Amino acid sequence: MIERIDELRTQAEAAIATADTTRALEELRVRYLGRKAELPNLLRSVAQLPAEERGTVGRAANEARQLLEGLIEARAGELEAGELDARLVADRVDVTLPGEPPQPIGRLHLLTATWRELEDVFIGLGFTVVEGPEVETVHYNFDALNHDATHPARDRTDTFYVADDVVLRTHTSPMQIRAMEAHPPPLYVVIPGRTYRRDNDATHTPMFHQVEGLAVDEDITLADLKGTLLAFARAVFGEERDVRLRPHFFPFTEPSVEVDVSCFQCGGDGHLRDGSRCNICKGEGWLEILGAGEVDPNIYAYVDDDRYDPEKVQGFAWGLGIERVAMLKHGVTDLRLFYDNDLRFLEQFG
Amino acid sequence: MRVPLEWLSEYADAGLPVKALEERLTMTGTKVEAVHHHGVGALERFVVGRVLEAERHPDADRLTVCSVDVGDGGPQQIVCGAPNVAAGQTVAVARPGAVMPNGMELGVAKLRGVESNGMILAEDELGIGTDHAGIMVLGDEHAPGTPLKAVLPIFTAVFEFEITPNRPDCLGVYGVAREVHAATGAPLKPPPWAQDLRTGAEIPGVEIRVEDPELCPRFTARVFEDVTIGPSPPWLKARLMAAGQRPINNVVDITNYVMLLAGNPLHAFDLDRIEGGRLVVRRARPGEQITTLDDVVRTLDDQMLLIEDDAGPTSIAGVMGGQRSEVHDGTTRVLMEVANWNGPNIHRTSQLLNLRSEASGRFEKGLAPEQAMEAQIVATQLMIELTGARLVPGTIDVGGPGPPPKVIRLRERRVAELLGRAIERPRQAEILTALQFGVTDADDGLDVSVPAFRRNDVYREADLVEEVARIDGLEKLPATLPKRRGSAGRLTTVQRLRRRAVDALVGRGMYETVGWSFTDPGLADRLRLAPDDPRRDFVVLENPMSEDHSVLRTTLAGALLDAARHNTARGMPDLALFECGTVYRATTDKLPHEHRALGGILTGRLHPQTWGTPEPPRAGFFAAKGVLGAALDAIRVRWDVEPATEPFLHPGRTARVSAGGEDVGWLGELHPLVARTWDLDHGAALFEVDLDRVLGHADAVPQYVDLTSFPALRMDLSVTLPEDVPAATVVATVREAGGDLLADARVFDLYHGEQVGAGRKSLALALAFRAPDRTLTDEDVAPLRERIVGALHDALGGDLRA
C-alpha cells in the first residue's frame, strides 16, 4: 500500500513539473486528486485497513495528497502568470500615439508673464504693488511731475488728450504722487500698468506697459537705486549682469540717470566669440533699459502731506518698459507682435 | 545736434581717441548718439599741388591735360574738366588711392585716351562746400606736397549728441566744449565772444522798440555797411557742411555758423528794406496775417509776437522771418538782429501755427539773454572779416543781460546723503569750477554762483549735487540696498486672486491675449448696442492716431472678436482666447470709470481632431460656461446665471452672470449676424465679467469644514419634468426640500425621448446627504427623499422615473 502511494506521488510529481498549461494541470489535478482518482480513494478506504496499518497508510496518503495539492497550486501560479503575461503582451497599444483626449496647454501672454516676473522680483526686494487710473489728469501726469509748460511730452503730437486737462497717462509716474498722497513714508511701491504715447513703428506702439518704482524713506540714496536695479537686472537677465548709471535729464528726478544693463549675449564685450559685432547691443556692450533718479525735491511739494518734506525724506524712482524687457530677453524683434494676438506668437511664451 | 570734432577741438581739445571721448562725454551726461565720419578717407593721398602746365585735351574741348607738381615723384599728369583750371594755380589734388566722401576709391584713369593720375578737386568733391562750378584755387603760400588736411578741413569725426531739454547751452559748439573741459580736463579756450569792439549805445537812423519786454527779454542789433554778398571761405563752408547745414552765402552762413557756435539764433535784415529804419516788437492783433519765408500766409492771435517795420509785419518773432526784408544778392547794409524770446511763448506760437524752425526749436527751450550779445559779438567779427563790411558804431541792446547769478549753498554732507558716496569738498569745488560755476568756501560746504547759461537748470542744492556726481563719475557709486524700514513686499489679496482666476483659464487651455485699449465708435453698432446702452459711453480721444483707435473700449468683446477673426483668417479657426484688461466708461466725473474685466471667446473645435476623437465637440454656450465657472470656482466665488439677452448674443443662449447676488457680467453664444460681421462662420461663445466686482465676492480665507469624520450618503434621482422647467429651478426645489442635511445636489444627465413623452424631459440628479455629527442611514434619508419627490411633483409637475 505504501509503495503504491509512493509510486502515485512520484508519478504525479513528474507530471505536474512538466505540465505546460493550466488546462493540462487541471487534468492532472482531476487524475490524481479528483473524486474518482486513486489517491483520494485510498484515503477513503483507510478505515477498512487493519488497525495497525491505518495510521501509517493514512498518514502517507494524506501527506502525498497535501504535497501534490501544494505542487499543483504552485505550478498553477507559475503557469497563470505566464499566460497572463502572454495575453497582456498580445494586448499592446502604440505608445507613440498622442495622448487622448488632447489637453490644450493654454499660455499667459508674454507681457503678463514678464509683468509677473518683474512684480515678483520687486516684491522680493520689499516693494508692494499698486495700480492706478490710465485716464489721468494733466495735473498728475505732467504738472505734479515738474514738467515745464513747454515740455514736449505735453504736445498733442505726443500725448493723447481726452480733454484739455485729461490725458491717457504717458507713463506710470503719475501714480508716484497718488501713492504718496495715499501713504505716508516710508513708501516702497512698484506700479505696473498700461501707458500711451502717440507713436507707431516697430519699436513704438501707441499703447505699451511700464513698471514704475518708487522708494521714499529717510535716507534712500542713488547708490541704493543702483543696488536695487542691479538686483533686478541679475534676477531677470542673469547673475553675471552689471548695471551702469549714465547722467540724464527727467523733470521729476534729480539727479537723473539712464540705466544700462551689460549685454547678456556678449557679456558686455560688444562682440561675439567669432569676433563679429553683437547684434543685441549693437556692439555697445550695454543695453539701455530704463530711466531713473533721485526723486526731485519739487515733487514732494505737490504731495499734500507734511511728512513728505524734502529735508526729511528722500527717495528714488524709475520707469521701466515691460515690452522692452520681454523683447530683449526673448529676442522679439517687433513690438507690434505683442498686440496682434496671433496664436503662433502666443503659443511661444508664458 | 551735430558737432564736428575738428570744430569742437578748436575750443577744447581733449587729445583722446574718438571712442574714448565719446565714452567719457556719454558717461558724464552729454550723450553721443552716433559718431559720423564726414569727408574723405586715405588722407595721405590728398595733397596740395601746383599746376605747371595746362593744355587742351587733344580729343575733348572741355578737358584740360595738366602737369601738376605734387611734391614728390616728379610732375603728375592729371586730366581736369573744370573751366577755370590754369597753369600757375595752387590746387587741391586727390592722388590714386584717395577715398572720396562717397566711399569711392580713386584709381589711375584714362579720359578720352589720356592717362590721369588723380583729380584736381572742387569743393563739393571734398564734402566741404556745394560749389561745382570750378576747382578750388588755394593760396600760393602752400607748397606742393603739403598734406591737404593741413590746409582744408577735409575730414572730421562728427558727434551727434542727444542734448536733453534742460541743457540748451549745449546746443552750441562752445557749450559742448565747456563739457569737454569739465569731463576731460582739456584746457578750455576763451569764448569767441571774449573780445568785442566797444561801441556806443545808439545807431543813427535805426530804432528798435520792444512793446512786450516779458515776451522779448532782450533784443540786440548792429548795423553793417559796405557788405559784399558772396560765398563763404572753405573753412566755414566745411564746418557748416559737417554740421549738417548747407552753405548759402557769407551773411546767411555767418548767422548759421554763429548759431551753431554760440547757441543763439540770429537774423540778418537788409536794412534798406526795413521801412523807416524802425523795428517794433509787438503782439499780433487777433487774426492778423503774415506771409512767412516759406510763402505761407499765417494767421496770428494776440499771444503771438511779431516784428514789424513802418510797412507792416516782417517776421513772426523767434519763429520765422518774412520775405520782404531778407538779405539778397544785392544787399549792402545789414541789420543783424540777435534777440532772446520767452520760451513757453515761442513754443505756443510754433505749436499753434504748426511751424517749427531751427530758431523756434532753440528759443522754446529757454536761452539765456546773455547768449544774444555773445552771438552778436561773434557775428560782428565774422561780418567784418568775411564780407568786407564796416561796423556802424553803436549797439542797440533792449532789455540787457538777465538777472544776476544766484548763489546756492552746497552742503558737503548733502552730497554723500543723496548719492550714498562722499565726494570731498575740494573735488566738489574743482568740478564746479570746471563747469564755470563760481565757488567760494562756506562753513558747511560751498557757496556756488550759477553761470547765466545754466540759470534755468541749476537753482537748487540737488541740482549742484547732480553736477558734482556726473562729472566725478556715477560708475564710482557702490551698489547698496535701501534699509526698507517696516516694509514687506507682497501682493494684495485682490492681486493674488486675480492671478488665480487668470491661471485657472490658462489651466483650461486658454491663451491670453492683450487687446488695444482703443477701439472705434462703430463697434457699438457692430455689437448692435441699443442707443441707451451704457457701453456707448465711450471716452473719446481728441487727437486719435486713426479713426479705428479714436475711443476707449467699454467692453472686451470687440478685442476678443478681433483676435478671433485675426487667427481664423490665418487658418487657425479653433480658438480659446481670453483677456484680463481694463475697460473704460465715460461718466459725468472728470475721469472715466475704469474697471478690470475678464473675458473669453471660444470658437471652432474645443480640441483638435485626434485618432481617438474624430469628431471633437465644438465650442458653444456650455463650453464657455464651463471655463468661466472654472475661473470663478478657482477663486471661490458663489456665482449663478439666469437667462437674459444681449443684443450681440443668441437670444436663446445668453445668460447674466451674478456673483454673490451682484450682477457681474454676461455669457452666451454669439448672434449669427454678429458672427458674420467678424467672419466667424462657425459662431463663437463669449463671456465677460467685471473682475473687480467678482473679486469682492471671493472667499479669500476659506474656513475649515469637517467633511471627513462622517461620510456622505449618496443617491441618484431621476425625474421627468415639463420641458420649460430650468435645471436651476429643479436644483433649488430639491435643496429647499432636502433641508440642512442635503449637502449637494447636482444635475448629471438630461434626456429627451419617447419614454418621457413629448414636451417633457428627464433630469438625473446626484444627491449627497451629510450630517455633521453622525453617519446617516437609509432610514434617516428616506423621509427626506420622500419630501424631495413630493416637492418636485407639487411645485414643478415632476414625476419620479422608474
Side-chain angles (χ1 to χ4, degrees):
Chain A
M1 205 61 111
I2 297 288
E3 290 78 25
R4 181 61 188 156
I5 291 170
D6 283 346
E7 193 180 324
L8 280 172
R9 194 194 63 212
T10 310
Q11 213 175 45
E13 275 176 355
I16 289 166
T18 55
D20 56 2
T21 65
T22 48
R23 185 184 226 164
L25 191 67
E26 178 61 16
E27 282 169 14
L28 291 178
R29 194 187 64 75
V30 173
R31 186 185 315 159
Y32 291 102
L33 298 173
R35 191 175 295 269
K36 294 174 184 163
E38 193 176 350
L39 192 62
N41 281 338
L42 265 173
L43 261 173
R44 277 194 291 273
S45 61
V46 161
Q48 296 157 16
L49 290 175
E52 64 274 18
E53 287 182 36
R54 279 182 208 160
T56 37
V57 173
R59 200 161 34 248
N62 210 23
E63 279 171 8
R65 190 190 65 184
Q66 284 173 0
L67 176 83
L68 292 180
E69 279 174 352
L71 287 175
I72 287 173
E73 197 180 331
R75 183 65 187 151
E78 287 171 30
L79 290 174
E80 277 168 13
E83 287 170 13
L84 180 61
D85 271 352
R87 275 202 312 279
L88 293 179
V89 165
D91 188 30
R92 66 169 64 235
V93 297
D94 179 357
V95 298
T96 64
L97 282 171
E100 175 71 20
Q103 304 293 323
I105 302 306
R107 296 283 179 194
L108 284 180
H109 194 286
L110 174 57
L111 196 63
T112 305
T114 309
W115 176 325
R116 287 189 184 182
E117 182 181 7
L118 296 176
E119 276 183 349
D120 291 346
V121 168
F122 290 117
I123 286 169
L125 288 166
F127 291 77
T128 51
V129 179
V130 296
E131 290 142 7
E134 296 172 27
V135 185
E136 186 54 284
T137 60
V138 165
H139 169 77
Y140 283 112
N141 196 77
F142 291 127
D143 299 346
L145 291 170
N146 209 31
H147 283 58
D148 280 351
T150 59
H151 196 283
R154 292 177 184 260
D155 291 356
R156 281 177 181 255
T157 50
D158 289 21
T159 296
F160 291 107
Y161 278 79
V162 168
D164 281 348
D165 56 351
V166 180
V167 297
L168 302 192
R169 67 178 175 189
T170 58
H171 41 190
T172 39
S173 312
M175 271 304 291
Q176 287 189 22
I177 309 290
R178 288 183 181 271
M180 285 191 273
E181 286 176 345
H183 304 282
L187 179 68
Y188 293 81
V189 292
V190 290
I191 307 140
R194 287 190 174 192
T195 50
Y196 304 88
R197 290 179 197 173
R198 292 186 86 255
D199 255 333
N200 205 358
D201 59 39
T203 53
H204 299 88
T205 44
M207 177 180 95
F208 58 103
H209 295 74
Q210 287 191 330
V211 176
E212 192 84 4
L214 175 69
V216 182
D217 205 334
E218 292 169 12
D219 52 5
I220 307 256
T221 66
L222 200 61
D224 290 339
L225 171 70
K226 185 174 183 179
T228 300
L229 294 176
L230 180 64
F232 145 75
R234 290 184 172 172
V236 174
F237 293 107
E239 283 306 318
E240 303 79 35
R241 298 289 76 77
D242 206 351
V243 296
R244 70 173 189 186
L245 274 47
R246 271 185 294 107
H248 200 71
F249 170 76
F250 301 107
F252 44 109
T253 47
E254 188 79 19
S256 298
V257 293
E258 281 188 329
V259 181
D260 301 335
V261 177
S262 59
C263 181
F264 53 85
Q265 178 168 273
C266 64
D269 289 346
H271 50 82
L272 306 179
R273 280 233 178 94
D274 63 5
S276 65
R277 194 179 78 143
C278 175
N279 61 317
I280 291 194
C281 64
K282 313 256 187 301
E284 293 291 316
W286 295 94
L287 298 162
E288 184 182 327
I289 199 101
L290 58 88
E294 286 282 292
V295 176
D296 191 290
N298 289 10
I299 298 300
Y300 299 117
Y302 288 97
V303 182
D304 185 20
D305 182 338
D306 292 345
R307 289 169 290 193
Y308 285 99
D309 173 348
E311 282 296 313
K312 293 182 191 142
V313 297
Q314 60 188 52
F316 62 64
W318 78 78
L320 168 64
I322 299 181
E323 286 91 338
R324 169 101 179 126
V325 172
M327 288 175 85
L328 283 175
K329 188 165 176 173
H330 298 278
V332 180
T333 49
D334 190 329
L335 182 56
R336 289 170 291 208
L337 288 167
F338 283 82
Y339 304 110
D340 283 346
N341 294 316
D342 190 295
L343 201 55
R344 293 163 293 186
F345 178 80
L346 302 178
E347 283 171 343
Q348 296 183 42
F349 307 104
Chain B
M1 171 81 186
R2 285 169 62 102
V3 176
L5 184 55
E6 167 271 324
W7 192 355
L8 180 62
S9 301
E10 180 179 336
Y11 298 105
D13 185 355
L16 292 172
V18 171
K19 182 82 192 156
L21 182 58
E22 174 194 354
E23 173 99 4
R24 180 65 184 150
L25 287 174
T26 294
M27 291 309 291
T28 53
T30 313
K31 187 178 180 190
V32 178
E33 295 254 72
V35 181
H36 306 284
H37 295 271
H38 183 85
V40 303
L43 284 173
E44 74 285 356
R45 306 304 297 161
F46 291 86
V47 295
V48 172
R50 183 154 296 132
V51 182
L52 302 175
E53 293 168 23
E55 299 195 349
R56 218 180 72 186
H57 191 289
D59 296 320
D61 286 350
R62 294 196 185 148
L63 296 180
T64 309
V65 179
C66 305
S67 171
V68 184
D69 176 2
V70 292
D72 62 343
Q76 299 289 313
Q77 176 172 292
I78 298 176
V79 180
C80 180
N84 65 328
V85 68
Q89 286 172 336
T90 301
V91 295
V93 175
R95 305 187 63 184
V99 177
M100 306 308 288
N102 63 7
M104 195 194 74
E105 187 180 324
L106 207 62
V108 178
K110 271 201 171 170
L111 284 90
R112 293 277 180 111
V114 177
E115 189 173 272
S116 181
N117 291 299
M119 199 167 151
I120 302 177
L121 298 161
E123 64 178 30
D124 69 326
E125 288 160 340
L126 284 167
I128 61 172
T130 54
D131 190 0
H132 191 63
I135 54 161
M136 276 183 296
V137 179
L138 308 176
D140 291 338
E141 69 274 21
H142 305 298
T146 308
L148 193 58
K149 67 178 177 185
V151 180
L152 290 170
I154 57 173
F155 168 79
T156 180
V158 179
F159 283 145
E160 187 172 330
F161 291 108
E162 178 199 352
I163 304 295
T164 51
N166 61 321
R167 295 300 306 273
D169 59 300
C170 284
L171 295 173
V173 172
Y174 192 77
V176 177
R178 291 189 193 110
E179 284 294 319
V180 172
H181 166 62
T184 69
L188 180 67
K189 299 271 168 53
W193 49 82
Q195 300 287 323
D196 188 27
L197 301 165
R198 301 212 166 266
T199 66
E202 301 280 316
I203 304 174
V206 175
E207 185 192 344
I208 305 291
R209 201 165 75 229
V210 175
E211 292 188 353
D212 198 323
E214 198 186 322
L215 297 186
C216 176
R218 191 173 201 182
F219 192 113
T220 72
R222 280 180 174 174
V223 168
F224 302 88
E225 292 186 334
D226 303 333
V227 173
T228 307
I229 301 286
S232 298
W235 65 265
L236 191 150
K237 287 201 232 183
R239 283 183 172 177
L240 286 183
M241 293 281 285
Q245 290 263 2
R246 211 181 139 74
I248 310 282
N249 63 44
N250 49 8
V251 173
V252 174
D253 292 352
I254 285 168
T255 61
N256 285 328
Y257 181 85
V258 175
M259 174 180 75
L260 293 174
L261 175 58
N264 203 117
L266 306 84
H267 187 77
F269 288 91
D270 183 329
L271 182 54
D272 292 322
R273 293 186 174 186
I274 298 178
E275 286 295 320
R278 179 175 27 235
L279 291 176
V280 178
V281 177
R282 65 163 172 84
R283 288 175 186 242
R285 287 179 285 276
E288 190 167 359
Q289 292 190 322
I290 178 169
T291 305
T292 40
L293 261 179
D294 51 2
D295 212 17
V296 177
V297 178
R298 315 270 177 183
T299 306
L300 310 184
D301 69 22
D302 64 357
Q303 303 282 307
M304 298 176 183
L305 220 51
L306 55 74
I307 303 177
E308 70 173 1
D309 61 11
D310 285 3
T314 72
S315 350
I316 301 173
V319 180
M320 192 171 273
Q323 287 171 323
R324 188 159 51 81
S325 50
E326 284 300 303
V327 174
H328 56 99
D329 286 350
T331 297
T332 60
R333 296 208 304 152
V334 167
L335 181 141
M336 190 65 77
E337 168 220 319
V338 194
N340 178 270
W341 309 102
N342 174 287
N345 181 257
I346 296 291
H347 176 78
R348 178 185 176 280
T349 300
S350 148
Q351 281 277 303
L352 287 176
L353 297 180
N354 198 17
L355 179 60
R356 279 155 216 284
S357 62
E358 177 76 39
S360 71
R362 288 168 176 265
F363 285 126
E364 70 185 17
K365 293 184 176 71
L367 302 180
E370 288 77 1
Q371 287 178 271
M373 188 53 83
E374 292 165 2
Q376 186 69 267
I377 291 167
V378 182
T380 303
Q381 297 161 5
L382 291 173
M383 285 294 288
I384 293 168
E385 186 184 329
L386 304 181
T387 74
R390 185 172 60 79
L391 174 67
V392 174
T395 303
I396 294 176
D397 182 2
V398 182
K406 186 169 176 159
V407 176
I408 308 166
R409 173 68 53 86
L410 175 60
R411 292 167 289 178
E412 185 175 8
R413 63 171 176 82
R414 197 64 191 139
V415 175
E417 284 172 0
L418 266 180
L419 299 181
R421 174 176 175 271
I423 297 173
E424 298 304 319
R425 203 187 298 192
R427 174 70 178 143
Q428 296 177 15
E430 180 191 15
I431 290 168
L432 291 167
T433 305
L435 288 167
Q436 314 293 301
F437 289 80
V439 175
T440 57
D441 259 312
D443 50 358
D444 60 348
L446 301 169
D447 278 332
V448 182
S449 76
V450 181
F453 59 88
R454 300 296 303 279
R455 184 187 285 130
N456 293 340
D457 176 35
V458 178
Y459 57 99
R460 301 160 307 177
E461 188 178 38
D463 303 322
L464 293 173
V465 174
E466 177 174 68
E467 295 302 308
V468 170
R470 72 183 177 92
I471 300 294
D472 187 58
L474 291 178
E475 67 277 8
K476 294 177 188 164
L477 283 184
T480 54
L481 287 173
K483 302 209 173 43
R484 282 170 56 174
R485 293 179 192 86
S487 85
R490 64 186 171 275
L491 289 177
T492 63
T493 301
V494 162
Q495 288 161 347
R496 240 179 347 95
L497 291 172
R498 199 190 288 151
R499 283 191 181 190
R500 182 77 183 88
V502 164
D503 288 343
L505 293 180
V506 170
R508 267 73 194 168
M510 299 189 79
Y511 288 84
E512 191 193 14
T513 61
V514 176
W516 296 107
S517 302
F518 314 105
T519 188
D520 75 295
L523 175 68
D525 294 333
R526 292 199 298 284
L527 291 177
R528 315 189 330 155
L529 300 181
D532 60 347
D533 192 304
R535 285 167 294 196
R536 282 185 179 273
D537 298 337
F538 291 117
V539 174
V540 181
L541 302 184
E542 293 186 346
N543 55 337
M545 294 191 77
S546 69
E547 185 60 21
D548 284 352
H549 280 183
S550 60
V551 300
L552 299 187
R553 63 183 180 183
T554 53
T555 167
L556 297 180
L560 290 168
L561 287 163
D562 290 347
R565 173 167 56 192
H566 171 96
N567 286 291
T568 301
R570 284 159 182 77
M572 297 170 284
D574 302 326
L575 299 165
L577 307 174
F578 76 97
E579 179 170 3
C580 179
T582 314
V583 297
Y584 318 79
R585 192 160 45 76
T587 67
T588 50
D589 296 334
K590 186 180 211 170
L591 296 183
H593 173 78
E594 296 180 19
H595 76 253
R596 180 94 51 154
L598 181 66
I601 186 167
L602 300 159
T603 179
R605 295 175 296 204
L606 291 178
H607 60 75
Q609 195 175 35
T610 66
W611 59 273
T613 320
E615 289 287 335
R618 301 195 81 90
F621 179 90
F622 293 103
K625 186 176 179 183
V627 288
L628 172 61
L632 298 176
D633 288 339
I635 54 175
R636 300 178 200 284
V637 169
R638 293 180 65 92
W639 61 281
D640 217 337
V641 299
E642 60 182 48
T645 57
E646 278 288 354
F648 51 92
L649 296 180
H650 184 312
R653 298 184 178 187
T654 300
R656 296 302 308 168
V657 181
S658 60
E662 185 185 13
D663 185 355
V664 294
W666 50 263
L667 159 73
E669 286 181 20
L670 197 59
H671 194 291
L673 294 178
V674 179
R676 198 181 296 165
T677 307
W678 267 274
D679 306 319
L680 297 172
D681 297 341
H682 297 294
L686 292 86
F687 64 84
E688 176 174 336
V689 293
D690 178 336
L691 192 56
D692 293 344
R693 284 194 198 180
V694 167
L695 292 174
H697 299 286
D699 183 2
V701 190
Q703 298 299 303
Y704 173 71
V705 178
D706 181 2
L707 300 179
T708 48
S709 295
F710 303 102
L713 192 151
R714 299 178 192 281
M715 67 170 63
D716 293 346
L717 208 59
S718 207
V719 60
T720 69
L721 293 144
E723 182 64 62
D724 59 358
V725 177
T729 309
V730 176
V731 170
T733 305
V734 168
R735 283 188 174 281
E736 170 79 30
D740 291 343
L741 294 182
L742 179 62
D744 191 27
R746 202 163 45 79
V747 173
F748 72 90
D749 197 17
L750 166 69
Y751 177 73
H752 293 93
E754 278 179 30
Q755 287 169 306
V756 294
R760 289 179 76 81
K761 64 184 172 187
S762 168
L763 288 181
L765 293 106
L767 309 182
F769 297 90
R770 178 183 282 116
D773 54 353
R774 66 189 195 283
T775 301
L776 292 176
T777 63
D778 290 342
E779 290 71 43
D780 292 326
V781 172
L784 295 175
R785 185 174 182 278
E786 287 301 308
R787 236 167 56 205
I788 289 169
V789 171
L792 286 173
H793 181 81
D794 298 346
L796 306 176
D799 296 318
L800 205 57
R801 272 184 84 192

